[in-house]
Amino acid sequence: MATKYHNLSDYDADALPSADILSRQRYAIVVADWNSNVTFPMCQGAIDTLVQHGVPLDNIVVKHVPGTFELTYAAKTLQRQESPHAIIVIGCVVQGDTPHFDYVCQGVTIGVAKLNSEGVCPVIFSVLTTLTMEQAEERAGGRLGNKGVEGAVTAIKMANLFA
């Protein structure tokens, strides 16, 4: 039996708010520089999607952090300083031979969950946690689409959930 793959970049554009609404909104993206071969294409996918749906490029703040673990600190700071409608955190952690993978994944997951429950805007989890670099690349513009696109669509939907 063949495995069916879901392309992360597939979505219903008609389910999103109008460009007129999105043109007045601000978004932030925090991207980890570690595994930049994966995270940078995801970031570009998020930016392109936001702009495609009407968010002006000037209304998108992008901040870089060294690694995935640092995403939550930057997101928390952006919530206060920039007052965005939503924040997308983009990272990539590939499992290695040590428990480092578990600690980083658990820390960033708990951190983002806490920001969502206590913060002032939605923080969208676009962090890949994969077994191999090949799996990550498949989700950063490869055959499975781009998780950054999915993050942008989710950010738009969450920013307008109660509008």
Side-chain angles (χ1 to χ4, degrees):
M1 182 174 178
T3 303
K4 181 170 172 30
Y5 294 99
H6 174 71
N7 187 316
L8 301 170
S9 300
D10 290 340
Y11 63 95
D12 180 8
D14 293 332
L16 299 179
S18 71
D20 182 55
I21 291 170
L22 296 179
S23 70
R24 298 184 305 267
Q25 294 184 342
R26 292 178 47 79
Y27 290 84
I29 300 171
V30 184
V31 58
D33 290 343
W34 191 260
N35 291 325
S36 62
N37 60 311
V38 172
T39 60
F40 288 10
M42 289 171 59
C43 182
Q44 192 60 56
I47 293 167
D48 292 346
T49 301
L50 291 169
V51 169
Q52 173 188 347
H53 291 289
V55 179
L57 192 55
D58 290 344
N59 289 9
I60 302 170
V61 174
V62 178
K63 296 291 182 183
H64 289 259
V65 296
T68 298
F69 199 80
E70 292 77 30
L71 293 170
T72 54
Y73 173 80
K76 179 180 177 181
T77 303
L78 284 169
Q79 281 184 329
R80 290 191 311 250
Q81 291 182 350
E82 298 291 334
S83 301
H85 287 81
I87 300 170
I88 306 162
V89 295
I90 296 175
C92 174
V93 186
V94 179
Q95 188 170 22
D97 295 329
T98 68
H100 179 75
F101 173 88
D102 298 320
Y103 299 128
V104 171
C105 293
Q106 182 179 19
V108 74
T109 301
I110 291 170
V112 170
K114 186 173 181 179
L115 287 173
N116 275 310
S117 67
E118 299 174 2
V120 296
C121 74
V123 179
I124 309 307
F125 190 87
S126 288
V127 176
L128 296 178
T129 58
T130 61
L131 301 176
T132 67
M133 183 57 73
E134 180 184 19
Q135 289 174 338
E137 290 168 345
E138 289 174 344
R139 291 158 176 80
R143 70 183 174 109
L144 297 179
N146 186 315
K147 183 78 171 169
V149 170
E150 180 184 336
V153 171
T154 302
I156 291 169
K157 288 180 177 181
M158 290 303 295
N160 292 282
L161 184 63
F162 299 109

